[in-house]
């Protein structure tokens, strides 16, 4: 008797289908609610779209972003915004305020930076460039990347929210991907480029520095030291150009003061416990060990836990940081090209982060579920390899 062969479903194909379905439901909901559905997923102040980009441009024009505006962005990111504001005519910049409070009063007025054509063109060209680089780097990593995968990633909730906010986390992600692709390349020039890319990613968002654990895992200790040196240089040198070295303690104070009251006591305890959980798992899989291989993570699981630690440390306050989940997801697609009952739980968690109607912040209960299901997949794969 001939057995009928079951058709296997590719991981990327399922992601594309799920993206199309959720896009359909999203557009339907937007039409039915006359656009009110937007408020569930985006910044509540509809007059302040692209605020991360345009407010940052205003806040660097005096070269005193930390002392006068209380900015959080690292010095390298502020230098980037300073260069962008050079493309804007002085006639427009004359109306710009000298402190953060006055910046808020500009929103919705005739002097609002969003009302200026040159400012909007600067935004469009900047993000078109980095969306192009995003596509190039994704294709470079996956090699046989399909157009459907690119489409799905571009319409992920994280990407849509980044564009709505005008957040430079997209730039940090692009350079983080360059680091991961070339960090163990045989070509010394490309390997050095990867370390510089990690430092640039750190220079835009700080928390990508945790990706440096990959270097320790692969015993690239000299490269780890170089990455730290590059990171320090890409912090101190831009700072000297801006507020000067005296701006360093002011910047630290701005960073550590941000969001200290945004969590309830219960959520703060859960967040701290989640951070500790991630740290333990990362160290367990980074340090040399002869432990049972069943408890060792695959590359995608290891990078996923690192990315979650980055998101938790950043505050886990919106969906834009979830763009870093793309990195382990691409690795997962290489590890598990087809769907089966052992990898489907991990895929569901990835999809919840990367669909157009995905989560707006990392759910803490994902961590133990992902870890347990991941160990189960690893156990199954080991048994398969031993047969």
């Amino acid at each position: 008797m001939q057995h009928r062969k079951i058709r296997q479903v590719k991981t990327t194909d399922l992601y594309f289908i799920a993206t199309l379905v959720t896009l359909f439901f999203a557009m339907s909901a937007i039409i039915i609610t006359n656009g009110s559905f937007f408020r569930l997923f985006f910044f509540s102040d509809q007059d302040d779209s692209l605020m991360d980009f345009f407010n940052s441009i205003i806040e660097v024009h005096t070269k005193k972003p930390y002392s006068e505006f209380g900015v959080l962005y690292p010095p390298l990111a502020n230098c980037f915004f300073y260069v962008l504001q050079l493309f804007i005519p002085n006639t427009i910049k004359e109306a710009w305020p000298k402190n953060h409070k006055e910046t808020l009063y500009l929103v919705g007025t005739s002097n609002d930076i969003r009302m200026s054509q040159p400012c909007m063109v600067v935004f469009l060209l900047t993000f078109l460039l980095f969306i192009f680089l995003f596509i190039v780097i994704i294709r470079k990593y996956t090699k046989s990347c399909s157009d459907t995968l690119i489409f799905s990633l571009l319409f992920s909730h994280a990407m849509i929210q980044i564009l709505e906010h005008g957040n430079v986390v997209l730039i940090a992600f692009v350079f983080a991907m360059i680091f991961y692709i070339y960090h163990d390349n045989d070509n010394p020039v490309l390997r050095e480029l990867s370390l510089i890319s990690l430092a640039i990613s750190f220079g835009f968002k700080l928390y990508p520095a945790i990706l440096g654990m990959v270097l320790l895992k692969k015993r690239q200790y000299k490269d780890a030291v170089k990455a730290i040196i590059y990171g320090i240089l890409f912090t101190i040198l831009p700072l000297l150009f801006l507020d000067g070295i005296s701006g360093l303690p002011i910047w630290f104070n701005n960073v550590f003061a941000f969001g200290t009251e945004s969590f309830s006591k219960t959520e703060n305890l859960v967040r701290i416990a989640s951070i500790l959980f991630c740290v333990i798992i990362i160290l367990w899989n980074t340090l040399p060990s002869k432990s049972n291989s069943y408890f060792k993570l695959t590359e995608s699981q290891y990078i996923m836990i690192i990315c979650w630690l980055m998101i938790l440390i950043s505050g886990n306050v919106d969906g834009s940081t979830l763009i870093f989940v793309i990195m382990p997801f691409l690795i997962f697609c290489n590890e598990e090209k087809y769907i089966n009952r052992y990898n489907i739980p991990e895929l569901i968690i990835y999809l919840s982060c990367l669909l157009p109607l995905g989560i707006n912040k990392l759910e803490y209960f994902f961590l133990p579920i992902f870890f347990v299901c991941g160990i189960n997949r690893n156990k199954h794969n080991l048994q398969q390899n031993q047969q």
Side-chain angles (χ1 to χ4, degrees), residues 54 88-89 92-93 96 109-122:
F54 288 125
I88 298 171
I92 295 173
K93 291 189 280 189
W96 289 1
T109 69
S110 58
N111 290 325
D112 190 339
I113 189 172
R114 297 164 190 78
M115 301 294 107
S116 164
Q117 185 185 59
C119 298
M120 189 57 72
V121 170
V122 167

Side-chain angles (χ1 to χ4, degrees), residues 48 55 58-59 61-62 68-70 93-109 111-114:
D48 203 20
N55 289 350
I58 292 175
E59 291 167 348
H61 80 284
T62 64
E68 294 180 354
F69 289 89
K93 291 189 280 189
E94 287 171 358
W96 289 1
K98 305 297 182 184
N99 60 65
H100 178 69
K101 191 174 182 180
E102 291 178 7
T103 304
L104 301 177
Y105 294 145
L106 283 182
V107 177
T109 69
N111 290 325
D112 190 339
I113 189 172
R114 297 164 190 78

Side-chain angles (χ1 to χ4, degrees), residues 6 11 13 23 26 33 46 60 68 70 88 109 124 129 165 218 223 241 267 286-287 290 296 311 320 332 357 367:
I6 300 173
T11 307
D13 289 347
L23 274 177
T33 62
Q46 297 181 6
V60 298
E68 294 180 354
I88 298 171
T109 69
L124 291 173
L129 171 63
H165 282 40
K218 297 186 177 179
D223 288 341
F241 175 75
E267 183 177 359
T286 300
L287 300 175
K290 295 181 179 179
K296 285 291 183 180
I311 293 166
S320 60
F332 173 80
L357 293 181
L367 290 167

Side-chain angles (χ1 to χ4, degrees), residues 178-179 182-199 220 222-223 225-227 229-230 234:
I178 293 173
F179 160 72
Y182 295 113
H183 74 278
D184 57 353
N185 195 282
D186 292 334
N187 186 324
V189 175
L190 291 177
R191 199 164 60 248
E192 204 70 24
L193 175 65
S194 77
L195 302 178
I196 294 172
S197 296
L198 179 61
Q220 296 175 238
K222 288 184 180 179
D223 288 341
V225 172
K226 286 182 184 178
I229 294 172
Y230 284 135
F234 284 149

Side-chain angles (χ1 to χ4, degrees), residues 208-240:
I210 304 171
L211 280 169
M213 295 298 293
V214 173
L215 297 173
L216 298 181
K217 183 184 180 185
K218 297 186 177 179
R219 314 293 178 254
Q220 296 175 238
Y221 300 120
K222 288 184 180 179
D223 288 341
V225 172
K226 286 182 184 178
I228 292 171
I229 294 172
Y230 284 135
I232 293 172
L233 289 176
F234 284 149
T235 300
I236 299 300
L237 294 180
L239 186 63
L240 293 175

Side-chain angles (χ1 to χ4, degrees), residues 116-162:
S116 164
Q117 185 185 59
C119 298
M120 189 57 72
V121 170
V122 167
F123 164 77
L124 291 173
L125 292 179
T126 301
F127 273 78
L128 281 173
L129 171 63
F130 282 98
I131 288 172
F132 170 74
L133 291 177
F134 171 85
I135 294 171
V136 169
I137 206 68
I138 296 297
R139 288 192 181 279
K140 179 67 179 177
Y141 176 72
T142 55
K143 294 178 182 175
S144 60
C145 177
S146 64
D147 292 335
T148 56
L149 177 59
I150 293 293
F151 175 90
S152 301
L153 294 175
L154 289 176
F155 280 91
S156 65
H157 178 63
M159 181 63 80
I160 294 171
Q161 192 166 90
I162 284 169

